[in-house]
Amino acid sequence: MLRTIITPKLSVGFLGLYLCLALVFWTNESSDAPFPPEAKPEQGSRIINELVGETIVILQSETELNGWTSQIEVHLQPQGTVPFSHIHRGYTEAFEVLEGQLSVELDGKVSVVEAGEAFEVREGVSHVPANPFEGPARFRVTVSGVKNFTTCLSQIHRRLGDKSATWLVRHLRVGRIASACDIYVSTI
């Protein structure tokens, strides 16, 4: 009986200590922003996140000459997903499914989008694309008017795929970069 009284208190204590240490780590972690010019991914660069079965290919990086337009192609393995539901501030994403099927949760409602179909995700709409199907899925995303989209995307996804960090540390790092970028906000 004594054990059942002590265990919850110890568990809460350890959780509190873990969260406090994570907060200290988060506040002392460099956000890496503003990013140095060499942090910008080149056309054709790949961002691979094995933890969630996602590969992103940079098709076009934003420049002043192209109106700050970026284009990426996302490959999701069967059962692959974008790491978590998120929103964007200040821009709309245009999606085009190129191969397979895509399950998309938009503000809590799930839809299936087939190859050849397109849809938009407006600013502030919570969304998470996923591939719960048996075959691979591939889709293109176009974003306009964002100066550091591909740089921020590569920095965020590099941290999300860091197998050496715990879930909490990965997400705290992502939060720091997303906050510095001011374009990508987790809804977890």
Side-chain angles (χ1 to χ4, degrees):
M1 181 159 174
L2 183 60
R3 182 176 178 183
T4 59
I5 294 171
I6 293 173
T7 303
K9 288 181 181 179
L10 286 175
S11 296
V12 170
F14 283 124
L15 177 61
L17 178 62
Y18 182 75
L19 290 174
C20 286
L21 289 172
L23 183 60
V24 167
F25 175 80
W26 182 67
T27 56
N28 289 317
E29 167 99 358
S30 168
S31 66
D32 293 348
F35 301 106
E38 60 271 13
K40 186 180 192 98
E42 295 180 10
Q43 184 174 335
S45 296
R46 292 181 179 273
I47 304 164
I48 300 170
N49 186 341
E50 295 173 2
L51 293 175
V52 294
E54 174 189 49
T55 300
I56 300 170
V57 180
I58 307 297
L59 300 178
Q60 176 182 329
S61 288
E62 62 284 345
T63 66
E64 190 170 6
L65 294 175
N66 70 15
W68 305 113
T69 298
S70 307
Q71 196 169 67
I72 62 172
E73 190 171 283
V74 181
H75 301 248
L76 291 178
Q77 299 171 5
Q79 309 311 309
T81 184
V82 169
F84 49 79
S85 181
H86 58 280
I87 62 172
H88 299 286
R89 294 185 284 219
Y91 65 95
T92 296
E93 289 181 308
F95 287 74
E96 179 186 2
V97 179
L98 304 171
E99 176 186 353
Q101 297 174 295
L102 193 62
S103 171
V104 182
E105 182 179 324
L106 295 168
D107 272 344
K109 297 177 185 171
V110 178
S111 300
V112 175
V113 186
E114 306 280 338
E117 296 180 334
F119 64 97
E120 280 191 348
V121 177
R122 300 208 180 276
E123 172 185 2
V125 174
S126 172
H127 59 288
V128 60
N131 180 12
F133 307 105
E134 292 183 18
R138 186 169 55 94
F139 58 97
R140 183 177 300 133
V141 181
T142 304
V143 173
S144 295
V146 182
K147 292 184 179 181
N148 287 319
F149 179 78
T150 56
T151 302
C152 289
L153 184 77
S154 68
Q155 295 298 312
I156 287 168
H157 284 264
R158 183 170 63 94
R159 283 162 178 78
L160 282 172
D162 181 4
K163 294 178 183 178
S164 68
T166 65
W167 180 91
L168 182 60
V169 169
R170 278 197 309 270
H171 284 79
L172 288 171
R173 287 176 177 167
V174 166
R176 294 280 292 176
I177 299 297
S179 177
C181 292
D182 196 32
I183 62 166
Y184 195 82
V185 182
S186 167
T187 58
I188 57 170

